[in-house]
Amino acid sequence: MRKNNRLFATLAIVAGFGFFIPKNLDIPATATASRDSRNLYSFDMRPTSRAPGARGRGNIDLAWSPFGLSVTADGYLVYDMVLQFEGLLPANRFGPDIGYVAWIASPRLDRIEKLGVIDQSNELSARLNSWNKFMILVTAERNPLEAATRGGPVLLRGMSPSGLVESFQSHELFTDVPD
Amino acid sequence: MKRSHLLLTFFICSPTAAFAQDTSLSWQMPMMSGGRMMMLPGMRGYVPPMEPFLPGRNLDPTTLPTAMPSQVIRMNTGDTLLLRAGFVSRTINGRTFAMYGFNNQYPGPMIRVSQGSEIVVDFENDIDMPTSIHWHGLRHDNRYDGVPGVTQEAIAPGENFVYHVRFPDAGIYWYHPHSREDIQQELGLYGNMLADSPNLDYFNPVNREEFLILDDILLENGEIAPFGKEHGNYSLMGRFGNVMLVNGEPDYSLDVAPGEVVRFYITNVSNARMFNLSFGAAAIKVVGGDIGRFEREQWSESVVIAPAERYVVEVLFDRSGEYQLLNRFQTIDHFLGQFYGQTDTLGSINSVGETPAATYHDSFEQLRTNSEVISEIDGFRRHFSREPDHELQLSIRVGELPQGMIQFMSIDTAYYAPAEWTNSMPMMNWVSNTANTEWVLRDPATGRENMDIGWTANTGDVLKIRFHNDPESFHPMSHPIHLHGQRFLVVERNGVPNPNLVWKETVLVPVGATVDVLVDITNPGTWMIHCHIAEHLEAGMMTSIQVQATD
């Protein structure tokens, strides 16, 4: 059910802002890299139909501290994240004031924070210190530097490796079994 | 019939299943962690397939010496300490138990010496199990390293062994048994050692020094949970306790004056638990690690410490009031598929009274760069970027675990947290044991494993060893890897250089991570390399390196 909610939410975002991107972009299709089994420190970002040729990769590395692992006082692992993108058309193709913005969001989309504007380097770095599971969304925004909330359509999205932690609440292993 | 019922039937009929025998000491199913992890089908009634064992269970604790808090013993070269491991009476959360203690103290006596000292410890084993003492972190003589079967025979009950203990390096160390550590450490056999530098300016001026020994103990229904007699259980994740202890107390308390700067020497002696320790909102200055000082002092909001590691930190309590000593972490509810935060309150530091005459605010605010440490390490930097001389892959092999566990663990395997903070699978962990779980150190160059690896080196060598914690194994878990008798620098993790070095001999290797250490081989003998989760050591996760002396 939660998966469906997530899907509907993403679809709603994409549909709701579909007006924003021309629907006949000529972007060649490219394959996205497959995730290695149990790769805990990287994830792929996959395109929506608005940017079929785009792709991205996120690398998250445990930040150093004097203790090896860096952990906040309330227990969050601290990661240094580098996002790399390919195949994103120049944003100004869509308008002089359009740019790409990367966001980090909880899987339920009840918390979204701006990571930054993606510039010509197609790379963005961020330090994460309050996230367990998270999504990365790349959107096209008007006045991207000033954009404080996500409003544009989603072009790329990816899920942290920890997003693979799934609920077993409804699994048959746990249903209708007497103590 | 639903498939789950079929599975249940299979589990009950499984030839590997073992059920509690009618003895006065019986296995009791561990409590689920706050009700968060549901019992797997077929697991109820299942117990570890060996005899439950609890040392001292037939003793009346009231007839035993009442254990006293640890005392500091200052020793000089040539001094002899009579150290006796025996039964003591300990009261934890209002319940009195027969436990172990060194010299009737908990923790054992804090041995304080000057760097370069050599003392004699005449040790007597007065517990009911064979034992030995390992002097953790010291680069001293191999024959006194305290590893049964490698450097000495186990010391039988009633026998003694004379250790000569040398302290070539300033640092904070600890001593503990190296025989069924899972039992003997859990029941209280551990103590600190501090070797002071002759340099009076070695650390910053402070108002006082305190020792914090972090531990936990597993109580079930008000009793100490039994251990496996023939071999250990909790082999998958290690034995996590459910009562946190600081210096052996569940409610640690310290009074300081407002404005005091306190230097804490922190040691994690728990069997398996990592701590993320904070002092309320007080700023923490990290000054030292296992063996000496960092290149550069750093601020931190908490102290992350794995089993067997030590850190030295300074804390300013600049206002009146209570500072809670907290252990906070994020862990996974495997049933709901969610992360959640957990907080353990370990005690409190109460800032009361008058501000002391001597205040060290100014020096506390400064972060020192330790040029002596940097210049010594400079001699090793040319080795930092070269290829490793040896590699160890960290993995696991499991045998006849209950099918419910296999089913669940085969599904719940897409993600493992880099570090484990608590026993998130208590039931499964409980029934795993050294008969069905083998933790593995594997040399990929030879394919050899654990004690068959057979590495050799010469004094004067500088070895680069790479640890890779295989994320593809059946149950990957973070491992604190300890090297006896030598020291190393943690130079790189996942290809990223360590920006601030300190000499160590224990390093946490997170799940899926590759950690490179540079070992300064100075000490001849046969030295163990092993995981310091006591139950992983019991389950085979160890090897050794034989070091030949060169002229």
Side-chain angles (χ1 to χ4, degrees), chain B residues 316-332:
Chain B
L316 167 63
F317 299 96
D318 60 350
R319 58 167 177 79
S320 299
E322 182 187 62
Y323 294 77
Q324 285 195 314
L325 199 58
L326 300 177
N327 175 41
R328 289 187 283 180
F329 53 88
Q330 303 284 317
T331 189
I332 298 173

Side-chain angles (χ1 to χ4, degrees), chain B residues 451-472:
Chain B
M451 293 306 287
D452 292 331
I453 288 176
W455 287 348
T456 60
N458 297 311
T459 55
D461 288 350
V462 177
L463 285 186
K464 190 172 187 181
I465 299 178
R466 174 165 291 172
F467 301 108
H468 177 61
N469 193 339
D470 183 5
E472 303 292 340

Side-chain angles (χ1 to χ4, degrees), chain A residues 37-38 41 62 73 168 172, chain B residues 3 301 413 472-473 493 511:
Chain A
S37 175
R38 287 194 201 160
Y41 300 106
L62 298 163
F168 287 83
E172 63 178 8
Chain B
R3 182 163 165 254
E301 55 187 77
T413 55
E472 303 292 340
S473 69
R493 188 188 58 225
V511 175

Side-chain angles (χ1 to χ4, degrees), chain B residues 332-349:
Chain B
I332 298 173
D333 181 327
H334 290 273
F335 180 59
L336 295 178
Q338 295 174 344
F339 286 79
Y340 65 96
Q342 184 170 322
T343 299
D344 303 315
T345 302
L346 308 184
S348 62
I349 290 135

